[in-house]
Structure formats: structure tokens, C-alpha cells
Amino acid sequence: MSHPSGPEVRARRTNDARVPLSRVRIVLEALRVVDEEGLQALSMRRLGSELGVEAMSLYRYVSGREDLLEALVSHLTDGLRRTPQTPVSAADGWQAYIQWLAHEVRDVAHDHPQLFPLVATRHPAAPWLRPPLRSLEVVEDFLSVLTDQGFGDEAAAATYRTFTSFLVGHLLLEASQMGAPMVPDEPLDEGDDRPTSDVVLDDVPTIRRLEPFLSEDRSDEEFEVSLEELIDRIERQLR
Amino acid sequence: MSHPSGPEVRARRTNDARVPLSRVRIVLEALRVVDEEGLQALSMRRLGSELGVEAMSLYRYVSGREDLLEALVSHLTDGLRRTPQTPVSAADGWQAYIQWLAHEVRDVAHDHPQLFPLVATRHPAAPWLRPPLRSLEVVEDFLSVLTDQGFGDEAAAATYRTFTSFLVGHLLLEASQMGAPMVPDEPLDEGDDRPTSDVVLDDVPTIRRLEPFLSEDRSDEEFEVSLEELIDRIERQLR
DNA sequence: ACCTGAACACCGTTCAAGT
DNA sequence: ACCTGAACACCGTTCAAGT
């Protein structure tokens, strides 16, 4: 054995003075905890113990919990930009670019539903940009693709608004339905399913009758149809 | 003087054995705190002190923080139903009903942006209902208005999905922009506006040039146009 | 019946101190 | 340079005890 064994029971993990702490190591571990157990499970103390370190050590690399969340969001949106920057040939037009970007962002929302609401947060450097996409580079790409394809400045800005309203709104909804409490207080698992309020399904006959239809998950179709619809709307406005 | 004066400095407020605690009094006070200072300001201890009582007293009326939030959501959605139930004459058709309901729910979102995300939470009695509106009575009304106006069961369910996806998505977005952190960790006031990341506005010339257009708030128009667009879509699908 | 004190197991964050 | 112990001011929740 190459290392002396410590006491049988240990906290959670010990650093063993192996890999030194770093901002990226902290971000990656935090991302893992949030994706697996939700935002509310991410505490400085828990994250420290997960990294084999006391919570106070984290403050060397991150100025606080808020800064940590900021770093998580940047990590996600940086990933967006690392994918090919001209994913579609110019000949495909802005429609193809919008389709590509919409699905790219949707993938992020689906991979990290707990974190996605933070992407809808205003950017510190451009708080007037609404709705925010939390990555200025992505927004810059969007706007320059449009203006390169002949959009006027005002039309490009209007299209940005229309597109991001649609996209962020839709994804916020999808994220909230993917078990993301959207607020930290919801219990993740409430196996206990007895109705708590006094209104039960007996008082709502139509809901009851339509249950088979209502319970179908159609979010994929809804997204695709709405996106096509949106592109049509933008095309109409151009003329 | 009718009451003996206590010590000069007191906690925050004292009950003075006046109005007894009750569920509604707790809900109303909690609503006030959340609307004024955000969800993160609502703690059992804070709420207790606001009511002149120790936090533990609240547990007589509310089973915990989770139950309290549940009560807040019910309070909001009950308000929806207390407005006239047939706000538009049947002759106006489902289009008028949808317009009315959309604006009704939007008012709730605007009055309580901090709480609105909880409305997008699945209903305990009908977790399969997606997207949720958090009031089964409102959903029942919606579906019966549609079926009364000649929609088939499947078409009514599809329209429910399309409509609530649009509505909740849009309002989740608007609420997140109304200073609702959408997650409890955002600071409410960051007067400190120096850019934190290394990317500044210099690297994004198009954003910079379009700033005057991009910073316009067009959420009202965006909402109205999208809603009309949606109604058109539903009409088309009916044929 | 209604409220509270004390306690437990958690938080984020600071700072002087250890290695 | 990097990590930690101890401390502070908070949490939610429980339960036996007070009135």
C-alpha cells in the first residue's frame, strides 16, 4: 500500500493533499452536485466536504456562494460558444442559424434544468439587454448574423427580442417541469400523493374526462411548431 | 393610557395578546414580506417576529415553510376564481375567454413576480397536468368553455397545452425580469455595476451599436402580439 | 388552547492562526 | 501559499414546558 490508512470512518472524502483545489475543480464538482441533487443541495459546507476540504477553503477561489453560481452560469454559456461558430453555411440564411441556436440553448436547459433559470438573469455588463441570454458573445453572434444577412439595426434588435422571449420563456417552462423546483423550497421527492387541498378531482369532471389527453407530454412538438411559427412571423415582418 | 408600557426597546412588534394568530393572518403577512423583499427574506423566524410572535408559534397553523408557500400560491389562484366566472358572454366565443384569462393571470404575475414561479409547479392532485396552472378550478373552466364552444376533447386538451405553454412561459420570463431572482441567491440591489467578467462591451460592437434599440422594454407589445398569433394558430388548427 | 425556551442540526462568512 | 478552528449571526423544526 502506498499511503498510510487513516481512521476507518472519515468525513466524506479527504483531500490527502492530492490535486490542489482550483476554481475549475470547484465549478465542476458544484455542477455535479446541482445536477444530481438540485440547487438547494449546494451549500458551501457540503461542497467543501465533497472536495475533501473545509468550506472556508473555497473562499480562496470563489468570493462567496453568489460568485460560485455566477461561475456555473458562465461555464454553461461558454460551452455554447465552444461549438462551431458558423455551424451553418451563410447560404442557409438566418433561419438556419436561429434553428441551430434554439436547439443548442435547449440542450443546455435540458442538461441542467436546475441551473437554467440563472441564464435568464440580467448580465452584469449589460443589464439593459432584455431578455438576457447571459452570454454577450452569443448575443453578438446573433445580432451580427442578422445584420450580415441584411436586417436593419432596428429589425435585428426586434428579432432578438422576439426570439429570446420565445426561447427563454419556453425553456424556463420546460426546466420548471423537469423537476426543477424553480424555487429552492419544493421537496424533490414527495412520494406522498394524497391530495392536500379540499378540492379533489371529483369537482372537475372535464379535467377528469380529458386526463388521457392532458397527461401526454408534447413539449418537443410544441417547441418545434412554435419555433417554426416564430420564424414565419419574423419573415412576415421583414416585408 | 390604557395599557402598561413595556420596556423602551422591543424586538420588532409584540402580539400584546391582541388579534390571535390565524392561517390567513400568517398568509397575508407572508405575502407582504415576499412582495416587498423577495422570497429569500421570508423565514419562519422573520415572519414570526413580524407578527409579534416566536417562529415556533407558526407551526400551529402551518405545517412548515413548504406548507406556507403552498398556502400563498392557493391564495393567489383563488383570487383568479373570485373574479366573475363568466366574464365574457358566450357569444364572444372562446377567443374572448382566452384573452380575458391570459390578462387575468398576467396581472397576478405582475403583482407577485416573486411568487409566480410557484404557479408553474405541478398540482399535488393532478401532477400529470402539464403545464400546470396551479388551480384546478381555472383549468376546469378553461376546458369546459372550450368544449361548450364545440371543441372536441382532444382539440380542447391540445389547446390547453398550447395556451398554457405560451402563457406560463411568457409570464415566467416577465417575472424573472421584474427583479425576481427566480432563484433565491441573487442580491436584490447590486448598486455596484463594475463588469465582473473579462468580457466587456468593447468586444461586442454590434450589441454596443444596437443598445438604444435593445434596451427598449417591449414586453407588453410582445405579449399582445404573441397572444393574437396564438389564437390565430388555434383557429387554423380547428379547420 | 395557545405560545415559548431550549435544543438540534444545519447555513454563509470572517479572520486570526496553523503548516 | 494554502488550508483550518473558532466564532458570529443566521436558518427550519421538535418537543417538553409554561400560561
Side-chain angles (χ1 to χ4, degrees):
Chain A
M1 291 202 189
S2 58
H3 64 82
S5 59
E8 287 289 303
V9 180
R10 29 181 70 192
R12 176 110 208 172
R13 203 175 289 190
T14 49
N15 198 356
D16 289 338
R18 307 283 287 281
V19 199
L21 224 43
S22 72
R23 201 168 216 260
V24 296
R25 219 155 79 80
I26 290 173
V27 165
L28 290 178
E29 188 64 32
L31 204 55
R32 198 184 61 77
V33 171
V34 171
D35 286 342
E36 287 175 9
E37 302 176 50
L39 247 190
Q40 86 257 104
L42 184 74
S43 71
M44 299 299 280
R45 295 175 122 112
R46 163 74 190 280
L47 183 55
S49 107
E50 213 68 38
L51 288 162
V53 119
E54 299 300 315
M56 312 84 190
S57 312
L58 303 174
Y59 288 83
R60 288 252 145 202
Y61 305 91
V62 140
S63 79
R65 190 175 200 264
E66 222 229 292
D67 185 43
L68 174 59
L69 294 176
E70 201 75 13
L72 291 178
V73 172
S74 299
H75 184 82
L76 295 191
T77 56
D78 285 359
L80 271 182
R81 235 333 194 54
R82 263 188 247 103
T83 57
Q85 299 187 21
T86 49
V88 288
S89 77
D92 295 330
W94 55 269
Q95 293 92 338
Y97 175 79
I98 280 185
Q99 279 277 0
W100 169 82
L101 181 59
H103 287 93
E104 207 70 20
V105 177
R106 191 168 187 243
D107 287 345
V108 172
H110 283 197
D111 289 345
H112 310 279
Q114 302 272 354
L115 241 24
F116 187 76
L118 290 178
V119 172
T121 282
R122 70 194 184 296
H123 192 288
W128 38 264
L129 187 61
R130 298 172 5 144
L133 269 186
R134 226 52 206 343
S135 164
L136 292 184
E137 300 96 317
V138 168
V139 176
E140 176 69 20
D141 280 355
F142 183 93
L143 294 172
S144 58
V145 164
L146 259 53
T147 51
D148 287 356
Q149 300 250 340
F151 281 65
D153 282 2
E154 198 160 0
T159 302
Y160 173 83
R161 261 197 309 270
T162 308
F163 173 69
T164 52
S165 293
F166 157 77
L167 183 63
V168 178
H170 237 283
L171 298 185
L172 240 23
L173 176 64
E174 291 193 16
S176 87
Q177 310 210 325
M178 292 180 69
M182 186 117 288
V183 87
D185 310 278
E186 222 71 36
L188 280 183
D189 44 1
E190 41 184 327
D192 199 355
D193 247 0
R194 67 222 148 114
T196 46
S197 82
D198 37 9
V199 174
V200 279
L201 251 40
D202 307 305
D203 304 317
V204 286
T206 318
I207 295 182
R208 220 189 162 102
R209 178 161 45 91
L210 301 198
E211 169 166 355
F213 300 124
L214 288 170
S215 56
E216 286 177 45
D217 180 9
R218 286 282 180 81
S219 44
D220 284 352
E221 296 94 310
E222 187 68 36
F223 183 80
E224 302 302 345
V225 170
S226 302
L227 181 55
E228 290 284 6
E229 195 72 31
L230 182 84
I231 290 175
D232 289 349
R233 206 218 285 184
I234 296 169
E235 280 177 341
R236 257 178 277 132
Q237 279 166 350
L238 277 185
R239 295 183 205 117
Chain B
M1 291 202 193
S2 56
H3 63 85
S5 58
E8 288 288 302
V9 180
R10 31 179 70 190
R12 175 116 208 166
R13 204 176 287 189
T14 50
N15 198 356
D16 289 339
R18 306 285 286 282
V19 198
L21 224 43
S22 71
R23 202 168 216 263
V24 295
R25 218 156 80 79
I26 291 173
V27 164
L28 290 177
E29 188 64 33
L31 203 54
R32 199 185 61 76
V33 171
V34 171
D35 285 343
E36 286 175 10
E37 302 176 50
L39 248 190
Q40 85 257 106
L42 184 73
S43 71
M44 300 298 280
R45 296 176 120 112
R46 163 73 189 279
L47 183 55
S49 107
E50 214 69 38
L51 288 162
V53 117
E54 299 300 315
M56 312 84 190
S57 311
L58 303 174
Y59 287 82
R60 287 253 146 203
Y61 305 91
V62 139
S63 78
R65 190 174 199 264
E66 224 229 293
D67 185 43
L68 173 59
L69 293 176
E70 200 75 13
L72 291 178
V73 173
S74 299
H75 184 82
L76 295 191
T77 56
D78 285 358
L80 270 182
R81 237 328 195 58
R82 261 187 247 104
T83 57
Q85 299 187 22
T86 49
V88 289
S89 78
D92 295 329
W94 55 269
Q95 293 92 337
Y97 175 79
I98 279 184
Q99 279 278 359
W100 169 82
L101 180 59
H103 287 94
E104 207 68 22
V105 177
R106 190 168 188 244
D107 287 345
V108 173
H110 283 198
D111 289 345
H112 310 280
Q114 302 271 354
L115 241 25
F116 187 77
L118 290 178
V119 172
T121 282
R122 70 196 186 294
H123 192 290
W128 38 265
L129 187 61
R130 299 174 0 145
L133 268 187
R134 225 55 208 338
S135 164
L136 291 183
E137 298 95 318
V138 168
V139 177
E140 176 68 20
D141 280 355
F142 183 92
L143 294 173
S144 58
V145 164
L146 259 52
T147 51
D148 286 356
Q149 299 250 341
F151 281 66
D153 282 3
E154 197 160 1
T159 301
Y160 172 83
R161 259 196 309 270
T162 307
F163 174 69
T164 51
S165 293
F166 158 77
L167 184 63
V168 178
H170 237 282
L171 298 184
L172 239 23
L173 176 65
E174 290 193 17
S176 86
Q177 310 210 326
M178 292 178 69
M182 184 117 291
V183 89
D185 311 279
E186 223 71 36
L188 280 184
D189 44 0
E190 43 185 324
D192 199 356
D193 246 359
R194 69 224 147 110
T196 46
S197 81
D198 38 11
V199 173
V200 279
L201 250 41
D202 306 303
D203 304 317
V204 286
T206 318
I207 295 182
R208 217 188 165 106
R209 177 161 47 90
L210 301 198
E211 168 166 356
F213 301 123
L214 289 170
S215 57
E216 286 175 47
D217 181 8
R218 286 281 181 79
S219 43
D220 284 352
E221 296 93 310
E222 186 67 35
F223 184 80
E224 302 302 345
V225 171
S226 303
L227 180 54
E228 290 286 3
E229 196 70 31
L230 183 84
I231 290 176
D232 288 350
R233 206 218 285 185
I234 296 169
E235 281 176 340
R236 256 178 278 133
Q237 279 167 351
L238 277 184
R239 293 183 208 118

